[in-house]
Amino acid sequence: MIDGGIKAFQGRRILLLQGPVGPFFTRFAQDLTDAGATVHKINFNAGDWFFYPSGETYRGTMEEWPRWLARRLAELDIDLVFLFGDCRPIHQAAHDVARQANIEVGVFEEGYIRPDFVTLERDGVNANSMMTRTPEEYLRAPDRVIAKRSMPHSFWWMVWWGFLYFTIGGFGQVFFPHYRHHRPLTIMEMFPWLLSPLRKQWFKWRQRGIQARLEGEFDKRFFLVPLQVHNDSQVMVHADVGGVEGFIASTIASFANHAPSDCLLVLKHHPMDRGYRNYTDLVRRLARDGGCAERVLYIHDQHTPTLIRHCRGVVVINSTVGLTAVGMKCPTKAVGEAIWDMPGLTYQRSLDRFWIDAPDAAPDNKLFLKFRDELIATTQINGSFYRKLAPETSATGLIWNAEATSLASLAARRRSTGSDTEAEAKARPAVPALAAR
């Protein structure tokens, strides 16, 4: 399925910073090298080193990092930087340095559409994405034929790679005294993962029968609020809600004061956060203080798509569950910054009004389908970060599209001319794509 996609990087001089936990960047480097690119890698902690031992090591401070990186980019004549997650402090600083040096940045992230895709965008992802937020541009876009291969289950691979990364990174901190990870980098991280299955079984027993009641007795009489991981950058950086706790508080207060009295509010815990947070006491106290204790449920492992089919509306910060809800024609309100939060897809007025207006706020399915296809075609790669596929695909397991897109061609022109011409700048697509789709 690849004829020109990964080969578009031929001749490029590429720097890899931090990638997803596990060997993905090592495998990605192999794909790039096989395509004729020159690849360098910088490691920041022992976890990085374990999965990419041939990489260069940075042991300086965060204050020294931008100047050190600027020198290294010039010495290595780098023209493209790849990184995973654009909100990590080291990556935010690196992005600024690259921009000043007119160097392209490619950002990997978990797939907007899961589980069969990963995200790769030029310049930024999520709220930093260059995807247009104008519905009319999607409606005018040509129809696309989207093909995909279903990905095998990779959850336990992700858990295993994460265990190795955080364990080795924690034990190796003595060799990287100045490094500060964007979340705790310690062997202690294994304890929430050990606690998680215990809590899962406890809540499964304690909340037995709830899903059946929501599907039957309370069908179309509850609002679903999927919570996100407490330290998700989309919560901490791209949403002014005071973290998950603040989001819970403001949502319960709004529901208590403005929602119809015959409706329930159902808050669903994020499964990846089960071992880290338990909001039972917080939800109980806030619901009691708001006078709606009998109408607020806090649940854990019920089947989310089924809940969406039976709820009256969905309220999210900016979770991918929100995009799933839109795709299922469910009225959806996003209170954070989301690339899919636009007229026609989501409710655009206040949360206070959403409780009343939700029955008449169904998404435009034609717009959703056009948006989804454009999103996949310009930002998504069929594959997985955590599980390698059959050898006939690629070293990474990503299925590289044959089409070489704007980043490769634009970068080639930049190398030949030194910058974009005025005509090229005007001709750049409204929904820019990276050189590997």
Side-chain angles (χ1 to χ4, degrees):
M1 294 180 65
I2 57 172
D3 183 47
I6 189 66
K7 294 177 183 177
F9 297 114
Q10 182 177 6
R12 305 297 300 273
R13 298 186 63 83
I14 295 171
L15 178 66
L16 306 179
L17 298 182
Q18 284 187 323
V21 292
F24 174 78
F25 261 15
T26 300
R27 296 168 177 173
F28 182 43
Q30 183 63 57
D31 276 352
L32 291 170
T33 301
D34 291 346
T38 301
V39 182
H40 301 271
K41 172 74 166 70
I42 296 177
N43 294 326
F44 300 87
N45 60 60
D48 292 342
W49 168 85
F50 178 78
F51 287 108
Y52 205 119
S54 62
E56 183 177 0
T57 298
Y58 178 73
R59 289 192 172 90
T61 65
M62 276 299 298
E63 291 72 25
E64 297 166 338
W65 164 237
R67 291 189 298 274
W68 185 94
L69 177 62
R71 289 196 306 271
R72 207 70 189 105
L73 291 172
E75 292 165 356
L76 297 174
D77 193 24
I78 298 298
D79 57 29
L80 174 58
V81 174
F82 280 110
L83 50 88
F84 176 80
D86 56 2
C87 291
R88 301 181 182 189
I90 58 172
H91 287 168
Q92 289 179 321
H95 197 288
D96 292 340
V97 171
R99 183 185 295 114
Q100 293 169 12
N102 200 33
I103 293 172
E104 301 282 356
V105 176
V107 182
F108 283 102
E109 187 56 275
E110 302 289 355
Y112 294 139
I113 298 176
R114 304 178 194 176
D116 297 324
F117 295 93
V118 302
T119 297
L120 177 56
E121 286 200 75
R122 174 185 178 180
D123 201 51
V125 295
N126 294 305
N128 293 328
S129 172
M130 296 173 71
M131 292 282 291
T132 179
R133 272 62 161 186
T134 305
E136 292 75 18
E137 294 192 38
Y138 294 106
L139 293 171
R140 290 195 299 265
D143 291 336
R144 296 182 180 273
V145 177
I146 303 297
K148 72 171 184 177
R149 172 177 167 183
S150 295
M151 293 296 108
H153 190 65
S154 61
F155 174 78
W156 290 110
W157 281 104
M158 179 181 65
V159 171
W160 173 241
W161 298 137
F163 170 76
L164 289 176
Y165 184 88
F166 281 91
T167 300
I168 294 168
F171 280 122
Q173 282 184 326
V174 64
F175 300 107
F176 300 86
H178 300 297
Y179 178 71
R180 296 294 180 269
H181 203 54
H182 57 285
R183 58 184 59 180
L185 187 66
T186 169
I187 185 63
M188 299 299 290
E189 283 293 286
M190 75 175 183
F191 290 107
W193 286 95
L194 294 175
L195 177 61
S196 182
L198 299 177
R199 278 185 173 167
K200 180 175 183 177
Q201 292 305 313
W202 163 249
F203 283 111
K204 181 179 180 179
W205 174 82
R206 186 178 181 184
Q207 298 177 347
R208 61 196 184 280
I210 285 181
Q211 177 132 0
R213 293 189 68 193
L214 293 175
E215 293 177 30
E217 177 184 354
F218 293 103
D219 181 39
K220 299 302 180 182
R221 290 178 53 206
F222 70 93
F223 289 89
L224 179 64
V225 183
L227 303 179
Q228 291 176 239
V229 175
H230 71 280
N231 55 6
D232 188 337
S233 62
Q234 305 318 304
V235 176
M236 306 305 293
V237 179
H238 297 307
D240 185 18
V241 294
V244 173
E245 291 88 348
F247 172 61
I248 292 172
S250 60
T251 302
I252 291 178
S254 177
F255 176 83
N257 292 321
H258 301 282
S261 59
D262 65 332
C263 286
L264 301 182
L265 182 68
V266 179
L267 300 106
K268 185 176 185 293
H269 199 84
H270 195 289
M272 298 294 289
D273 214 25
R274 190 187 296 111
Y276 292 89
R277 293 289 188 274
N278 182 354
Y279 301 114
T280 300
D281 292 340
L282 175 67
V283 170
R284 183 182 294 122
R285 175 175 58 80
L286 291 171
R288 184 181 63 246
D289 293 348
C292 56
E294 302 301 318
R295 298 195 293 131
V296 176
L297 290 178
Y298 173 49
I299 65 175
H300 284 72
D301 289 289
Q302 287 68 24
H303 188 243
T304 299
T306 301
L307 294 176
I308 292 173
R309 279 194 292 271
H310 289 275
C311 73
R312 186 175 294 187
V314 169
V315 179
V316 297
I317 300 176
N318 46 22
S319 166
T320 53
V321 175
L323 185 58
T324 300
V326 171
M328 295 176 67
K329 304 179 186 179
C330 179
T332 303
K333 172 63 181 176
V335 301
E337 298 179 68
I339 60 172
W340 40 266
D341 185 15
M342 67 183 74
L345 292 186
T346 57
Y347 184 75
Q348 296 294 296
R349 303 182 73 177
S350 71
L351 177 60
D352 290 348
R353 293 190 60 91
F354 178 68
W355 313 111
I356 301 298
D357 294 347
D360 300 316
D364 180 339
N365 194 241
K366 179 182 177 181
L367 174 60
F368 167 76
L369 294 174
K370 297 284 280 188
F371 170 78
R372 180 202 61 187
D373 289 353
E374 200 68 19
L375 185 72
I376 292 173
T378 57
T379 72
Q380 304 295 284
I381 306 176
N382 195 192
S384 170
F385 289 132
Y386 306 108
R387 182 168 180 172
K388 189 175 180 180
L389 303 182
E392 63 267 18
T393 54
S394 62
T396 56
L398 299 185
I399 301 173
W400 299 99
N401 192 297
E403 181 181 0
T405 57
S406 61
L407 179 59
S409 57
L410 177 61
R413 291 195 295 271
R414 282 181 171 174
R415 289 197 297 273
S416 63
T417 65
S419 63
D420 295 342
T421 65
E422 182 177 354
E424 287 169 340
K426 290 180 179 179
R428 193 175 301 167
V431 185
L434 202 57
R437 299 212 292 224

